[in-house]
Amino acid sequence: MAAQETVEHKYVYDFAEGNKDLKDLLGGKGANLAEMTNLGLPVPPGFTITTEACKAYLTTGREPDGLAAQIEAHLESLEREMGRKLGDPQDPLLVSVRSGAKFSMPGMMETVLNVGLNDRSVVGLSAQAGGNDRFAWDSYRRLIQMFGKTVCEVPGEEFEHALDDAKRAKGTQNDLDLDADDLRGLVDAYKKIFAKHTGREFPQEPREQLDLAIRAVFESWNAERAVVYRRQERIPADLGTAVNVVAMVFGNLGADSGTGVAFTRDPGSGAQGIYGDYLANAQGEDVVAGIRNTVPLQELEQIDKKSYDELLDYMARLEEHYKDLCDIEFTIERGKLWMLQTRVGKRTAAAAFVIAGQLVDEGLIDLDEALHRVNGAQLAQLMFPRFQLDHEFQPVAKGIGASPGAASGKVVFTSARAVELAAEGESVILVRRETNPDDLNGMIAAKGILTSRGGKTSHAAVVARGMGKTCVSGADELDVNVPAKKFTVAGQTVNEGDIVSIDGTTGKVYLGEVPVMPSEVVQYFEGELDPEQADDALVKAVHRIMTHADEKRRLQVRTNADTGADAARARRFGAQGIGLCRTEHMFLGDRRELVERLILASTDEEREAALAALLPLQREDFIDIFREMDGLPVTVRLIDPPLHEFLPPLEQLAVNVAVAQERGEDVAKEEALLAAVRRMHEENPMLGLRGVRLGLVIPGLFAMQVRAIAEAAVEVTRSGGSACPEIMVPLVGAVQELETVRAEAEKIIAEVVGDSGVEVLIGTMIEVPRAALTAGQIAEAAQFFSFGTNDLTQMGWGFSRDDVEGAFFWRYLELGIFGISPFESIDREGVGRLVRIAAEEGRAARPGLKLGVCGEHGGDPDSVHFFHEVGLDYVSCSPFRVPVARLEAGRAAITTTGSDSR
Ligand code: ADP
Ligand code: MG
Ligand code: MG
């Protein structure tokens, strides 16, 4: 045996053999069960079958060699430890078979309880429980139900209907009112259902039950809802799940037994205290499924003080040990507490910040670790607006604030309808009594989720929190009638399509659409809330962690802003300059007419006159922005889009001309415009006459802009300010383009600036692949590079964003060609490689070359980490993303312990 094990792969680990760092191999549940076992907490004995065994099974379609024997050996030692044997008709050992992947996927995968019961051992179980027939038959009917549904794909409703029938026959709503005889009858009914759907009898052989259940857990890794969930959560598809086989303990043995879940802090707000739900006389899955209404965990103190105190003690030890919020599943069997699961708990964005701050205060973690434990996506969530509730809005119901945010939308009752309406662009609120994993697609499509049953740990609550989606659960005043597509509350009926608003922070439900107001976090960034004064734990924690991020980060954060107002806001949000000021808006509105004159000019004089009229307008715009950004760099991009974008569309002009001609009006100007539009038409405007090409083709255009920038800088500086303009030339592909523009610009700048002390830099965007690949040459003529990663992505992949995103990205995502749209997060291997090459070769040619990025990737968390790695000086993003970029730049700069924040 020993010799065999050295050549054989080890597929099975006893709980005593594992630890919390073996999640890859043992899954999260197994690794943490092992950890708790080794901490000396009361965990029922058991063993874990590795993810490797699962992967082997999924690739070959059969159990790997040696697995069966290893299971046998571990089962025997479990039997020895428990002093019971699987299937023993006098005193049977029962086990649970539980899935558990590396990342927790709540409710996604399968678990079967009470494995080992059959027609004979059910009698033994009753005898061992002091003649508790009710308990034994209840356990047996649960086994058939879970086994049938999970292992043999018997439709779950059939069992539920049979259960409902039994309750109805008894005249009760409560499953506790069913007695042993009722449950024995139910077992018969379940067996018939089982036989009808599977064509065989319910398996009586315990080892067969066990093997089939293990196989079903393996297979549940590829169940459709698990696949959907992984895609949504970006969990790799090839991890596989482990399987835990655990000796059963029973929460359904009577009033002195029960089961519950607990959090060491509030996963919604992060507040300290005792949070959780308890359900007496029940087995584990009853709590999570929200079948019966639970009582708050505090009430356990009255019910069973000894177990309650013990539980609190274990919770404190677990927090101390994991140095983080833990969530826990436990069961009490006749006054004896058993720990069945723990993990570092999921939490809302607000709780993530608050808890990280508290743990620093408690000395459990340092500020670097606190920074590591929050992320930009969470911060972005906290910057969403909230409901404004001053006047007429009165809640019609109050449930549990299960996942924060404010959501309004049309009521729908089914997942399918949610998907349908969302596809039409509607905001929808999915309303259910409770959700189950089959509702996943609807939950993804909905703006918010509202259920009438279930606590903070119900399926709806857990999944919504994971998605960052607003959710109110357990609003039990709601009488939800799914088949009739309506619910009633406070004497009113709400039908499908009516609008409701739900507040996932307070749990309140409103009829109609409630207006929203900005978040406290935004108010803090705006400088309207003083973090020292605020008695708001969230604002304090955000302030503290942001301050630390700012201290740690190497990347500067600038903003993309085209107006003084945007610039001012971004500055309040912490922007250290403008990385992209587009000048095209300065050609819009009532200035269009001047642009038309410029385009239609047939002589030098006409063109110069049009440019001269534009000059003072542009200068004013720049003065505004330089004042707001006093002392900070402002990168101004010379005009980029094709000029015909400023003219009316061809069809409209053609109609205007025809109509005017009909009326006999003078159409000379319209005709000239029409001719110009026809002449300037491009098949591929994205790759047409734009950017630097415009500047080289239209005499005086760039010169006018350069003059306006320089004059504005001089004026601001002369009046006591400090302007630091950086002129950026778009769409350069060859150094010669840049040299030509630069020669002309330098002459104008020298002339305008004189002895004012203003310094104007000239640099280029790197957004054409050729520019990235010839960056060494281009750097000779450029004082800075700014990566335009939107165009670089378009041209790198050869597709235009506007055309392709809606057309086929879904398919590419489905096929896994993209993990995420390359416009959302930088494609490190391809487009990122261009950035890397250009950065290295540019700096080699010109040491100290200033490097930044101004595409939308500048505000994307993953991309910020990439730009940090590549060694850029700054990222630039829209004003609202500035705090996100600051936070992520800080996170990128700290060396982490590598713990998984998921
Ligand atoms: P999930 O990952 O969906 O939470 P679990 O494997 O944790 O699934 O099991 C589902 C429920 O069954 C949980 O409430 C759990 O506490 C309970 N459970 C699992 N194993 C046992 C056991 N050996 N004894 C008693 N209850 C159990
Ligand atoms: Mg669990
Ligand atoms: Mg561009």
Side-chain angles (χ1 to χ4, degrees):
M1 187 75 196
Q4 197 187 351
E5 265 180 8
T6 52
V7 288
E8 225 175 45
H9 207 87
K10 183 168 169 63
Y11 287 119
V12 184
Y13 286 70
D14 220 69
F15 288 163
E17 294 176 287
N19 67 63
K20 72 173 168 30
D21 299 320
L22 292 179
K23 290 201 182 78
D24 284 319
L25 192 62
L26 304 179
K29 197 178 288 169
N32 289 325
L33 282 168
E35 191 77 12
M36 285 200 292
T37 302
N38 294 331
L39 281 174
L41 268 46
V43 176
F47 53 86
T48 304
I49 302 166
T50 65
T51 54
E52 311 243 300
C54 172
K55 284 190 272 189
Y57 174 83
L58 291 175
T59 35
T60 63
R62 57 178 199 85
E63 285 77 3
D65 288 344
L67 178 60
Q70 291 182 34
I71 292 174
E72 186 65 41
H74 283 268
L75 188 59
E76 275 168 16
S77 80
L78 178 61
E79 287 175 336
R80 269 196 307 278
E81 187 170 354
M82 299 296 293
R84 293 185 169 133
K85 278 187 164 341
L86 200 67
D88 181 342
Q90 261 76 52
D91 185 9
L93 168 69
L94 303 189
V95 295
S96 62
V97 178
R98 316 168 66 187
S99 61
K102 174 174 184 187
F103 300 113
S104 105
M105 299 167 57
M108 282 306 115
M109 313 237 305
E110 308 294 7
T111 288
V112 185
L113 303 181
N114 306 333
V115 168
L117 273 179
N118 56 25
D119 293 350
R120 291 186 338 135
S121 62
V122 68
V123 179
L125 181 68
S126 165
Q128 289 300 325
N132 191 337
D133 274 355
R134 186 196 182 279
F135 152 73
W137 288 97
D138 184 46
S139 301
Y140 194 19
R141 72 94 190 157
R142 286 170 190 268
L143 169 64
I144 302 172
Q145 182 166 358
M146 274 186 263
F147 191 91
K149 182 166 180 235
T150 306
V151 182
C152 302
E153 286 164 25
V154 179
E157 313 86 82
E158 299 237 359
F159 295 120
E160 273 146 38
H161 291 157
L163 181 60
D164 285 342
D165 289 345
K167 285 194 262 187
R168 201 168 310 124
K170 193 84 182 179
T172 179
Q173 304 255 6
N174 189 338
D175 53 317
L176 290 181
D177 292 336
L178 298 178
D179 63 24
D181 281 337
D182 302 325
L183 290 163
R184 196 179 284 122
L186 198 53
V187 164
D188 283 338
Y190 277 11
K191 281 188 187 160
K192 289 206 183 83
I193 294 170
F194 186 93
K196 185 178 93 193
H197 282 274
T198 61
R200 61 165 292 183
E201 296 302 315
F202 176 74
Q204 294 289 316
E205 175 52 51
R207 185 59 206 266
E208 187 190 3
Q209 292 174 2
L210 178 62
D211 289 339
L212 289 176
I214 291 170
R215 186 179 283 195
V217 173
F218 286 161
E219 284 173 359
S220 71
W221 176 255
N222 282 333
E224 195 199 325
R225 60 176 196 234
V227 173
V228 171
Y229 184 85
R230 285 202 291 274
R231 204 178 291 142
Q232 166 94 14
E233 297 292 313
R234 301 200 189 126
I235 295 173
D238 58 0
L239 298 174
T241 179
V243 186
N244 302 287
V245 177
V246 189
M248 280 303 299
V249 292
F250 299 99
N252 54 339
L253 267 171
D256 58 353
S257 304
T259 186
V261 281
F263 297 89
T264 57
R265 300 176 195 232
D266 183 354
S269 70
Q272 274 153 312
I274 295 148
Y275 296 88
D277 305 303
Y278 181 72
L279 192 57
N281 202 3
Q283 268 196 337
E285 79 281 8
D286 297 347
V287 181
V288 189
I291 301 279
R292 260 186 275 147
N293 276 333
T294 54
V295 301
L297 184 59
Q298 284 91 326
E299 290 182 23
L300 180 60
E301 188 170 15
Q302 273 80 59
I303 303 170
D304 179 349
K305 173 116 172 74
K306 182 178 139 287
S307 297
Y308 179 79
D309 289 345
E310 217 177 302
L311 178 66
L312 257 50
D313 174 45
Y314 296 150
M315 281 163 68
R317 278 168 66 184
L318 286 172
E319 248 213 11
E320 179 93 26
H321 184 71
Y322 284 87
K323 303 187 192 323
D324 207 344
L325 158 80
C326 294
D327 73 25
I328 290 155
E329 291 176 4
F330 66 92
T331 279
I332 297 173
E333 178 179 317
R334 291 199 169 138
K336 159 98 179 113
L337 174 65
W338 292 97
M339 303 292 277
L340 290 174
Q341 187 174 331
T342 192
R343 69 190 153 198
V344 167
K346 296 200 178 197
R347 67 205 68 186
T348 62
F353 277 87
V354 170
I355 291 172
Q358 286 168 359
L359 293 172
V360 172
D361 287 337
E362 291 164 28
L364 282 174
I365 61 173
D366 62 14
L367 272 169
D368 276 4
E369 180 63 21
L371 178 54
H372 174 61
R373 290 204 185 167
V374 296
N375 63 49
Q378 291 166 335
L379 183 63
Q381 257 187 49
L382 293 173
M383 294 174 70
F384 286 129
R386 293 187 301 123
F387 283 141
Q388 183 175 348
L389 289 164
D390 30 14
H391 36 274
E392 71 262 43
F393 289 100
Q394 288 302 321
V396 288
K398 184 169 179 321
I400 291 156
S403 179
S408 295
K410 291 191 171 166
V411 169
V412 296
F413 293 93
T414 63
S415 180
R417 187 70 183 140
V419 170
E420 223 169 84
L421 280 183
E424 291 167 17
E426 298 278 3
S427 297
V428 300
I429 306 290
L430 178 63
V431 182
R432 310 276 295 170
R433 290 162 82 163
E434 63 218 18
T435 61
N436 64 54
D438 299 328
D439 294 319
L440 199 62
N441 281 318
M443 296 174 77
I444 293 171
K447 277 270 170 332
I449 296 143
L450 170 60
T451 68
S452 58
R453 286 175 170 192
K456 256 205 159 93
T457 51
S458 63
H459 177 266
V462 173
V463 174
R465 272 202 299 280
M467 291 179 184
K469 193 146 291 192
T470 302
C471 175
V472 172
S473 68
D476 50 17
E477 293 113 302
L478 263 58
D479 188 0
V480 179
N481 187 339
V482 171
K485 296 190 190 153
K486 65 175 188 185
F487 70 80
T488 52
V489 65
Q492 303 185 63
T493 299
V494 177
N495 293 300
E496 181 176 278
D498 292 349
I499 294 188
V500 297
S501 300
I502 58 171
D503 186 330
T505 309
T506 61
K508 290 178 182 162
V509 180
Y510 305 86
L511 300 186
E513 189 168 344
V514 181
V516 288
M517 66 174 195
S519 80
E520 278 123 331
V521 171
V522 168
Q523 288 174 298
Y524 153 67
F525 286 131
E526 288 280 11
E528 292 159 14
L529 273 184
D530 178 354
E532 308 299 336
Q533 310 277 300
D535 54 10
D536 183 323
L538 175 60
V539 167
K540 276 191 157 59
V542 168
H543 172 67
R544 188 157 180 204
I545 292 172
M546 290 303 290
T547 308
H548 189 64
D550 287 341
E551 264 165 35
K552 287 285 166 158
R553 69 188 156 92
R554 187 187 52 68
L555 276 176
Q556 303 238 327
V557 177
R558 296 196 193 178
T559 191
N560 301 348
D562 309 344
T563 64
D566 272 359
R569 154 168 279 172
R571 195 168 185 168
R572 292 194 297 274
F573 281 18
Q576 295 161 290
I578 291 181
L580 175 62
C581 170
R582 299 179 183 85
T583 52
E584 357 334 338
H585 79 97
M586 303 174 187
F587 290 76
L588 293 175
D590 49 6
R591 301 167 184 188
R592 259 181 208 278
E593 203 250 330
L594 292 173
V595 181
E596 286 175 9
R597 270 166 59 193
L598 174 68
I599 292 172
L600 294 180
S602 53
T603 65
D604 288 351
E605 290 76 42
E606 280 172 18
R607 191 183 58 247
E608 279 159 19
L611 287 170
L614 278 166
L615 175 70
L617 302 173
Q618 295 236 304
R619 189 172 52 219
E620 285 311 308
D621 292 330
F622 293 133
I623 287 175
D624 212 21
I625 292 170
F626 291 155
R627 287 228 162 94
E628 293 295 354
M629 279 287 150
D630 189 54
L632 298 178
V634 175
T635 307
V636 181
R637 181 175 73 183
L638 300 181
I639 186 151
D640 183 42
L643 282 189
H644 57 77
E645 280 195 7
F646 299 97
L647 296 180
L650 182 72
E651 300 78 18
Q652 187 192 322
L653 271 175
V655 171
N656 290 357
V657 169
V659 169
Q661 272 170 344
E662 191 76 8
R663 294 200 191 122
E665 291 166 10
D666 175 18
V667 292
K669 188 178 161 225
E670 270 72 20
E671 277 178 339
L673 270 181
L674 182 59
V677 169
R678 289 221 163 96
R679 176 162 34 84
M680 294 166 81
H681 171 78
E682 293 176 322
E683 292 296 339
N684 289 308
M686 194 67 67
L687 304 176
L689 178 58
R690 51 176 285 224
V692 65
R693 302 158 199 170
L694 272 180
L696 296 178
V697 167
I698 302 184
L701 178 59
F702 275 11
M704 179 276 291
Q705 291 199 294
V706 170
R707 185 175 292 280
I709 294 165
E711 288 180 359
V714 169
E715 172 153 352
V716 168
T717 302
R718 289 239 159 88
S719 61
S722 158
C724 318
E726 303 179 341
I727 294 176
M728 177 157 82
V729 184
L731 225 70
V732 165
V735 66
Q736 293 84 351
E737 293 172 310
L738 182 61
E739 280 168 345
T740 309
V741 172
R742 187 174 170 185
E744 186 187 21
E746 278 180 337
K747 256 189 247 146
I748 297 166
I749 292 167
E751 183 194 310
V752 174
V753 164
D755 59 0
S756 64
V758 169
E759 202 195 341
V760 184
L761 302 186
I762 301 178
T764 182
M765 292 192 74
I766 301 288
E767 55 182 339
V768 176
R770 191 182 188 284
L773 298 173
T774 59
Q777 293 169 25
I778 293 177
E780 306 278 351
Q783 291 174 289
F784 63 88
F785 283 175
S786 175
F787 291 95
T789 51
N790 296 348
D791 264 312
L792 200 56
T793 300
Q794 299 198 119
M795 296 196 212
W797 281 89
F799 46 51
S800 91
R801 175 172 201 168
D802 298 335
D803 295 320
V804 299
E805 236 175 4
F808 66 81
F809 271 28
W810 62 272
R811 183 67 181 141
Y812 269 44
L813 288 162
E814 195 175 77
L815 290 170
I817 297 171
F818 304 147
I820 178 172
S821 158
F823 289 111
E824 208 177 303
S825 196
I826 189 121
D827 150 36
R828 288 176 175 238
E829 299 94 61
V831 177
R833 177 131 194 269
L834 289 170
V835 172
R836 201 185 279 275
I837 291 171
E840 278 165 12
E841 297 188 0
R843 283 227 170 110
R846 183 190 280 256
L849 178 69
K850 197 190 307 197
L851 300 174
V853 61
C854 63
E856 257 149 71
H857 298 102
D860 166 66
D862 279 346
S863 309
V864 170
H865 286 249
F866 174 75
F867 298 132
H868 171 87
E869 283 161 32
V870 177
L872 302 196
D873 296 298
Y874 68 87
V875 294
S876 187
C877 53
S878 65
F880 260 93
R881 298 302 286 188
V882 165
V884 172
R886 283 165 55 202
L887 184 75
E888 290 293 350
R891 296 185 70 227
I894 52 169
T895 45
T896 65
T897 54
S899 73
D900 258 302
S901 55
R902 204 187 308 244

